[in-house]
Amino acid sequence: MEFTSKAYFDFIGEGRIMGSRCRACGDESLPPRLVCKECGSVDLEWEEFEGKGEVRAFSVINIPLSRMDGRSPYAVGVMRLDDGPSISGLILDVKEEGELSVGSRVEAEYVKEGEKTALCFRLVP
Ligand SMILES: [Zn+2]
């Protein structure tokens, strides 16, 4: 299957995090890429990642984008997956900066928004 954003989001809809892995140098990308960002190879394969990781950076947003109306404050972060690359996303049910820190454990949660599914994260103890 081609490395398109549609394919990526179709997998998210199935509750699977699929990225690309370069057969030449082993570099992993999320979302998947057509060309390896490290070595330029186009010899890539799909790789599935488990949705567990830790927060590497985050911000709590008090003034929301309009589509986020009713959800503010909310947190966005960059999560480093245990078995893969980093990916950004919403961290659910966080209202204050004090609830989060770099290194907080998170796991993936798939949130339906109409016909789409968004990859979000939730804090785990
Ligand atoms: Zn490569």
Side-chain angles (χ1 to χ4, degrees):
M1 198 186 307
E2 257 195 89
F3 299 104
T4 59
S5 59
K6 178 179 185 314
Y8 171 75
F9 284 110
D10 284 349
F11 279 123
I12 295 293
E14 296 170 10
R16 302 173 74 190
I17 304 173
M18 299 291 289
S20 58
R21 183 179 175 284
C22 175
R23 288 195 180 105
C25 76
D27 186 65
E28 297 163 323
S29 278
L30 255 184
R33 291 167 176 265
L34 290 167
V35 178
C36 176
K37 67 180 185 301
E38 290 300 319
C39 75
S41 172
V42 293
D43 188 13
L44 307 177
E45 61 188 352
W46 284 100
E47 183 167 5
E48 183 162 7
F49 300 105
E50 221 187 316
K52 292 185 166 68
E54 64 177 35
V55 175
R56 302 305 304 159
F58 65 92
S59 180
V60 175
I61 314 279
N62 289 299
I63 301 172
L65 300 170
S66 57
R67 73 181 183 90
M68 300 301 294
D69 246 0
R71 286 205 212 167
S72 71
Y74 62 94
V76 292
V78 176
M79 273 56 70
R80 170 84 195 185
L81 299 180
D82 293 340
D83 56 356
S86 297
I87 186 165
S88 59
L90 275 179
I91 305 169
L92 301 169
D93 292 339
V94 172
K95 301 295 178 201
E96 292 174 33
E97 299 216 355
E99 296 173 49
L100 267 180
S101 55
V102 169
S104 292
R105 298 290 303 167
V106 288
E107 65 182 24
E109 184 159 320
Y110 304 89
V111 178
K112 296 264 179 222
E113 294 179 341
E115 296 193 344
K116 291 184 179 172
T117 304
L119 172 59
C120 300
F121 289 84
R122 184 179 291 284
L123 285 170
V124 290

